[in-house]
Amino acid sequence: VAQFAAEKAIDLGARVIKIEAKGGENLRRRSVVGGAALPFAMLNSNKTFATLNLKTERGRELLRAMVKKGDVLVENFRPGTLEGWGMSPQELHQLNPGLVMLRISGYGQTGPYRDLPGFGAIGEAMGGLRHLTGEPGRVPVRVGMSIGDTLAALHGTIGVLTALYHRKVNG
């Protein structure tokens, strides 16, 4: 069963629905000040939230219904997860030919490391950034923010905006 927030959040003209697992993401419980999880509030302002169990057919049916009406789907599962649920890009584009999909994973959808778990800190290390932030003979130091996650999000946003513009210009 999908549980939608009562308010209809709009930001820059878009209604963003974030689908979370039951209980929500762990960022909801970090850096809580005065009852508010500040990083979560900053990164999720003006979003509507839904919980779907995509491991069930009912959850997948609800997502497919959302895809039919949506413009963009952003997912960050391990490669092959959507395909395993019968929701490959090809299948989703049959429901909505104009759908723009952004797929963010640790090592891409097809590379030799595609099946390995990945997150920002690993990407920073693999890309050499962590090597640059430390002092000789000491452990590399984390950059003051999650730069790997932030760069992935920003470049993903640029790609989505470009695809939406292309779709609008070229029909």
Side-chain angles (χ1 to χ4, degrees), residues 21-130:
K22 187 176 180 179
E25 65 168 292
N26 66 1
L27 199 57
R28 288 179 176 270
R29 295 169 285 285
R30 290 181 32 206
S31 302
V32 176
V33 177
L38 299 180
F40 179 83
M42 179 189 72
L43 295 171
N44 292 284
S45 66
N46 294 324
K47 291 179 183 170
T48 299
F49 300 91
T51 57
L52 294 178
N53 183 352
L54 296 175
K55 294 177 182 175
T56 68
E57 186 54 40
R58 178 68 179 141
R60 293 189 295 270
E61 286 173 11
L62 290 168
L63 181 60
R64 286 184 189 101
M66 295 168 84
V67 162
K68 285 179 184 179
K69 296 180 180 182
D71 289 305
V72 177
L73 174 66
V74 178
E75 67 94 357
N76 67 335
F77 296 113
R78 284 195 190 179
T81 300
L82 280 181
E83 288 81 354
W85 290 332
M87 293 190 291
S88 69
Q90 296 79 9
E91 291 164 305
L92 295 176
H93 282 121
Q94 287 178 358
L95 300 173
N96 181 346
L99 182 70
V100 172
M101 288 186 67
L102 171 60
R103 305 185 82 180
I104 297 177
S105 63
Y107 302 100
Q109 298 294 309
T110 60
Y113 297 139
R114 71 178 289 253
D115 294 323
L116 296 177
F119 52 93
I122 293 174
E124 293 166 15
M126 295 276 295
L129 181 63
R130 295 264 172 134

